[in-house]
Amino acid sequence: MCARSEECTRFIADRMLGTLTRRLRLMGYDTISANALSPGNPREDSVILSIAQTQGRILLTRDAELARRAGAQGIYIGSEDPAAQVHQLTDMGLIVPSLRFDRCSICNTPLRPARQREIESAAYAPADRRSLTFFWCPTCRRLYWEGSHTRRMRKDLIGDQD
């Protein structure tokens, strides 16, 4: 049994949905991207379908034919606008948009609390670190935190006006 719906709902997205993929990861959804596959494979659609089926992932695609082939497991994403894409999945009841720091937006690895040396080694970390909580991606070695940029991210990600 899953503790949260984000832990249960898993996605695979085609190459045309890179921004949506990053946004889903920021919302805590396990989302793999076809961009991680070797480029130029003429059977890529079949590989994506197989991954969706064997891993129990929902296939997100801008390709209507691929969505049709996936059947009930596929979703055709109608808009090119990332905000509209998030709204489509929200309206379908597949996601609950909220900014989380559970997954790396780049590689999809679950984040963990950052160690002091990891924070100090990140040149882009804020100088004033009081009352900030930091998270670390052990795979791509990226540091995350809720700072002043979070308001803009929430607005861009889910339309919050906080």
Side-chain angles (χ1 to χ4, degrees):
M1 188 78 186
C2 300
R4 300 187 332 231
S5 65
E6 293 89 89
E7 295 168 353
C8 299
T9 306
R10 300 176 342 142
F11 300 100
I12 183 168
D14 71 14
R15 291 182 186 273
M16 296 177 272
L17 296 171
T19 301
L20 177 61
T21 296
R22 286 186 301 277
R23 288 180 179 203
L24 288 169
R25 290 171 178 170
L26 287 169
M27 287 185 269
Y29 291 95
D30 180 349
T31 307
I32 58 177
S33 172
N35 288 325
L37 303 173
S38 298
N41 181 349
R43 298 197 61 237
E44 182 169 284
D45 286 357
S46 296
V47 171
I48 293 169
L49 286 167
S50 175
I51 292 169
Q53 188 173 47
T54 59
Q55 294 184 13
R57 293 179 181 273
I58 297 170
L59 172 61
L60 306 174
T61 181
R62 292 269 305 128
D63 180 337
E65 175 58 22
L66 180 56
R68 186 197 61 74
R69 286 177 56 199
Q73 203 163 354
I75 296 176
Y76 173 71
I77 301 296
S79 176
E80 291 182 18
D81 175 55
Q85 294 167 351
V86 169
H87 287 296
Q88 179 183 346
L89 296 176
T90 301
D91 291 346
M92 295 176 80
L94 292 172
I95 64 171
V96 175
S98 66
L99 186 62
R100 309 182 70 87
F101 287 95
D102 294 277
R103 294 193 166 272
C104 178
S105 65
I106 305 301
C107 71
N108 198 42
T109 299
L111 299 177
R112 63 164 172 72
R115 296 182 179 111
Q116 190 63 37
R117 70 177 170 2
E118 293 162 340
I119 298 167
E120 291 169 358
S121 70
Y124 53 89
D128 184 3
R129 298 178 181 140
R130 292 173 297 185
S131 72
L132 293 176
T133 303
F134 293 90
F135 305 92
W136 183 255
C137 176
T139 302
C140 67
R141 306 175 58 82
R142 183 177 176 95
L143 185 69
Y144 292 84
W145 69 93
E146 284 201 51
S148 60
H149 62 290
T150 306
R151 178 175 289 142
R152 180 190 55 80
M153 287 173 62
R154 276 196 175 92
K155 184 178 181 212
D156 290 348
L157 187 66
I158 57 176
D160 267 0
Q161 302 296 323
D162 294 330

